[in-house]
Amino acid sequence: MPVAHLKAGSAPSKQRAAAGIGPARHMEDELRAQNERFSAAVENMSHGLCMFDAEERMIICNRNYIDIFRLDARMMKPGIRFFDILLHSVDIGIASQSADELYAIRKPYIDGAKASTYEEILSDGRIIVISHRPLAVGGWVSIYEDVTEHRRAEEELKEQHRLFDAALANMSQGLLMYSAEGRLIVRNKRFLDLCNARAADFKLGMTHRQMLDKLVRLRIFVPIEIDAEVARTKACLQAGQPRSSYRELVDGRTLFVSRRPLSGGGWVATFEDVTERRRTEERMTHLAHHDALTGLPNRSMFRERLDMALERETVMPFAIFSLDLDRFKAVNDTWGHPAGDWLLRSVAERLRRCLRNETDLVARFGGDEFVVMQFNFRGIADAEKLAKRIVEAVARPFRDKNREMHVGVSLGIVTFPNDGSDADTLLKNADTALYRAKSEGRNLYRFFEPGMDAILQARRALEVDLETALPRQEFELAFQPIMNIASGDIIGAEALLRWHSPARGIVAPEDFIPVAEETGMIVSLGDWALRNACAAAATWPPGLRVAVNASAVQLGSEGFARGVISALAFSGIPASQLELEITETVLMDESKTVLKTLRQLRELGIRIALDDFGTGYSSLGYLRRFPVDKIKIDRSFTRDMRNRDTAAIVRTIIELGMELGIVVTAEGVETEAQLDMLRHHGCIEAQGYLIGAPSKAADIQRLLTSRALHSQTG
Ligand code: C2E
Ligand code: MG
Ligand code: MG
């Protein structure tokens, strides 16, 4: 260790030592001991140290100093000049500047009287902090500290802070960090943005409770129970559990807040704006539970509600209404699907308004099927009231732009617990009651009755039988003659369907035609009737007309006109010999395609007769809609002609026909008196048992042929 003894006390101690005096010797020992302690202290310093005298010669330096500058220990003997040390450090390449430059830097410190600190950067990049202190006796002492590591750590920390700040500032989530003491220590800008708040509102150091309180007071969060919230968060975090929840904001947005405990105590809370995601989610669940067209709950949601109602512990009676629109298909066919959609939406809206009770529910099951659930149901009278309201609401015309649509609704009603204890049974029975309502007419409601099942099953059985009746050739046509009243001549015959069912016997058209219409089977059955009627007419004397009934369903079906033309072509009879009997419902359909079809057929020379006139709605209006060739007064009027009012109606129809140049035929003429009356009023044609009952094709053919011969010979 290059240590020089302190000069200050060296001369007197030497003298004392030379004199050999006891106390002087003692002092010398003392001094040596002091020097040794000093050397040991210097040597054990954690920093480098170097002391110079007034002549800039080194007095003492420690090992750390030599190590810091990687100096040659052998050179570092006391007495070496400061400048030589600088030269040496340049020689060994540790200095990053020349000795002169280094000296020039140091010189002001050496000459100055003030303690100061400066840095030197070595050629290997290390940073040395040098504390310079002048000594009272001249010279100075320098303390050297290698701060390279320290600085690097500091830089790293700074960099980390910078990155952390950047990350915080750029987070899409708001972030708050609380210390173990529960005080706010970090808060990013995004949090303030999310809350539309100022930094001053949420100062660091605030407690969780203060934060929540402020968020509510500034009308950012919708009011919450702050104590409970603080307690919940605390409990979770103490248990080491994360906690997340939704927070509703006053402006309608929703934040998702998630809190995680930190390993050193405290926690971090992140805030995410999930308004859009939530809305999408809500929309998705809404979609899954609602009908897209009308926005009403759909079948699956209805089932959920029904199941919930059934699972209640105490029995709460309720009613279910199964609804089906009447004539909806006609609207769709007439006006097109967009209009049908509009109508369904309008119906949905009216149904919604019919419900008086918040808890009541109307759902759309699809197509024109709706279901209503009525709670708070005290008895049949309640259900009846609602049913009437619904029927009236839907019966009112639907007006859209310049269209006016008329539909109706049929309802089947079940009540819980009377009509079933489970969802399936209740819905099935409601459908059964609906079926009944529909078969009894339109715009009706029917409560379920136990026997209805059987009726429904019977009806299903009829459908099944009817389905196979055509291929099994169980149908036959009967023909009923039609007479010109003035001349008494038979001018033709109407073809009427007869079903000989092996299981049921003869089934009346009134019993199977509505079923065939509903199942759509009437299309093929009607086509069969048309072909066979035309084929039969081909065997009749020329000029005789065959009348064939055509239902609305047939006319609305595609290819009807083609079927008629092909029936004519196959039979070979002229178009003028065929008469199609349609009912008012056909014209009521307002369908452009139906009217177009009729017009097309009429242009071919086929005659169009309006059947069952007077039984429908406002018949006269439809005559303007489509010019028919013939009106057939319904047999119910003929039968009732003795009644003065009825007679007046019949007379009016006949006069109307004369005025419009339309042939009028009276149906169901059974007595001479009826025929006389009709003749008297100027009715042109008559049909009925008096003239001839419907008979087999062969019989009618014989009758027509003999009459023709008779009139030729007579
Ligand atoms: P409609 O076209 O009005 O046929 C006349 C109905 O009156 C026939 O009943 C006929 O038997 C009955 N009738 C004839 N004269 C008299 C009489 O003097 N007194 C009484 N009380 N009734 C008389 P039917 O054959 O039972 O047919 C009933 C309805 O079935 C027909 O009424 C028609 O609407 C429909 N229909 C019959 N055949 C067909 C068909 O091939 N296609 C279609 N779409 N409907 C048909
Ligand atoms: Mg008819
Ligand atoms: Mg008729």
Side-chain angles (χ1 to χ4, degrees), residues 661-683:
I662 298 173
V663 174
V664 176
T665 306
E667 290 187 298
V669 181
E670 296 180 354
T671 64
E672 287 290 352
Q674 288 166 344
L675 188 63
D676 282 345
M677 225 164 154
L678 290 164
R679 185 182 292 118
H680 176 73
H681 291 314
C683 184

Side-chain angles (χ1 to χ4, degrees), residues 317-321 374 377 379-380 383 413-421 426 429-430 447-448:
F318 59 83
I320 295 177
F321 303 63
Q374 184 186 32
F377 161 87
I380 299 290
I413 310 169
V414 287
T415 62
F416 172 80
N418 275 1
D419 300 329
S421 55
L426 285 167
N429 289 345
F447 282 91
F448 174 76

Side-chain angles (χ1 to χ4, degrees), residues 492-556:
E494 177 180 2
L496 295 161
L497 266 173
R498 295 291 174 261
W499 179 18
H500 303 278
S501 161
R504 301 162 188 276
I506 293 175
V507 186
E510 263 101 351
D511 289 335
F512 70 83
I513 284 188
V515 179
E517 281 177 338
E518 239 159 78
T519 60
M521 202 211 140
I522 191 71
V523 175
S524 50
L525 184 56
D527 191 58
W528 179 90
L530 200 63
R531 283 166 181 279
N532 281 272
C534 290
T539 68
W540 300 346
L544 291 175
R545 241 176 248 132
V546 63
V548 183
N549 295 284
S551 85
V553 180
Q554 278 173 271
L555 272 149

Side-chain angles (χ1 to χ4, degrees), residues 25-154:
R25 195 187 167 87
H26 178 77
M27 267 183 67
E28 204 169 312
D29 288 347
E30 180 67 15
L31 201 57
R32 191 179 300 118
Q34 225 178 50
N35 269 335
E36 272 165 16
R37 278 202 295 276
F38 176 69
S39 304
V42 167
E43 201 50 36
N44 286 309
M45 277 177 70
S46 57
H47 300 155
L49 179 139
C50 202
M51 197 186 271
F52 296 89
D53 63 15
E55 277 78 51
E56 301 182 9
R57 288 177 189 278
M58 185 184 87
I59 301 167
I60 178 175
C61 75
N62 66 1
R63 184 79 218 173
N64 271 341
Y65 170 73
I66 292 170
D67 287 349
I68 286 172
F69 292 96
R70 315 245 157 97
L71 301 170
D72 184 348
R74 284 166 307 183
M75 285 193 58
M76 296 307 290
K77 295 281 188 304
I80 183 172
R81 283 168 5 121
F82 176 57
F83 190 74
D84 289 335
I85 298 176
L86 294 178
L87 280 176
H88 172 53
S89 68
V90 173
D91 278 351
I92 60 173
I94 193 78
S96 51
Q97 286 157 294
S98 72
D100 285 331
E101 280 169 335
L102 286 171
Y103 187 74
I105 293 169
R106 298 291 290 274
K107 190 65 178 147
Y109 297 111
I110 294 169
D111 294 342
K114 270 198 293 181
S116 47
T117 304
Y118 54 92
E119 282 181 20
E120 191 179 325
I121 296 173
L122 303 184
S123 62
D124 57 9
R126 281 181 297 137
I127 304 161
I128 312 299
V129 171
I130 305 170
S131 306
H132 175 95
R133 260 164 221 288
L135 293 173
V137 290
W140 74 95
V141 61
S142 286
I143 310 281
Y144 304 86
E145 188 185 356
D146 184 343
V147 296
T148 319
E149 266 315 302
H150 184 74
R151 285 284 164 82
R152 196 186 359 258
E154 240 175 34

Side-chain angles (χ1 to χ4, degrees), residues 523 527 530-531 554-566 597 601:
V523 175
D527 191 58
L530 200 63
R531 283 166 181 279
Q554 278 173 271
L555 272 149
S557 73
E558 220 186 303
F560 176 74
R562 231 181 306 124
V564 174
I565 294 163
S566 125
T597 305
L601 294 171

Side-chain angles (χ1 to χ4, degrees), residues 611-612 634-635 667:
D611 206 352
D612 303 341
D634 189 70
R635 57 186 185 272
E667 290 187 298

